[in-house]
Amino acid sequence: MQETNEMPALELALLRRSLGEIAGRVEHCDGCGRALLIGERVYEFEGRGRRCALCADRERQAPADSHTVHTAAHGHSIRLLDRRPAKRAA
Ligand SMILES: [Zn+2]
C-alpha cells in the first residue's frame, strides 16, 4: 500500500494495526507455510503440527484430528445456542 497525503496518518496507522491483527489470527500450514483458506480442511499430526490437505497426503502417519478453518469472527458473530444432539432419521 502506498502512503498518500489523502489518507491521514492516524487512519493509516489504524488500518495497519487491524490488518496486522487479522494476519496474526490466520492459520498456517506447518508443512508449506501457506495461509489456510476459510472452509479448508486442516489436519493435525502429533508432534508435526497442522497440515493442509496437500501436505497431509505426504505424511506417513494418520492425522490425530482435523477441523475446518473458520473466519476470525467465528464464535463472535454467530453463536450456537441449541446444543442438543442431532436427531437421527428414522
Ligand atoms: Zn501445506
Side-chain angles (χ1 to χ4, degrees):
M1 185 189 300
Q2 192 172 17
E3 193 170 342
T4 64
N5 292 335
E6 295 158 20
M7 184 177 272
L10 176 62
E11 191 176 330
L12 190 60
L14 289 171
L15 177 65
R16 283 182 176 148
R17 190 174 73 179
S18 65
L19 286 175
E21 287 176 5
I22 290 168
R25 283 181 286 187
V26 171
E27 289 188 71
H28 289 81
C29 171
D30 293 322
C32 62
R34 183 172 63 81
L36 299 169
L37 304 172
I38 294 162
E40 188 173 354
R41 200 77 191 157
V42 185
Y43 301 89
E44 302 281 347
F45 290 89
E46 276 184 32
R48 306 214 7 108
R50 63 177 65 117
R51 295 282 189 277
C52 67
L54 297 172
C55 293
D57 284 345
R58 292 198 300 260
E59 292 292 320
R60 292 180 182 170
Q61 59 183 0
D65 197 12
S66 70
H67 68 272
T68 304
V69 176
H70 296 288
T71 67
H74 182 74
H76 299 286
S77 56
I78 298 172
R79 188 161 296 165
L80 271 178
L81 298 175
D82 187 356
R83 300 247 180 228
R84 289 175 294 177
K87 287 181 182 174
R88 288 185 184 180

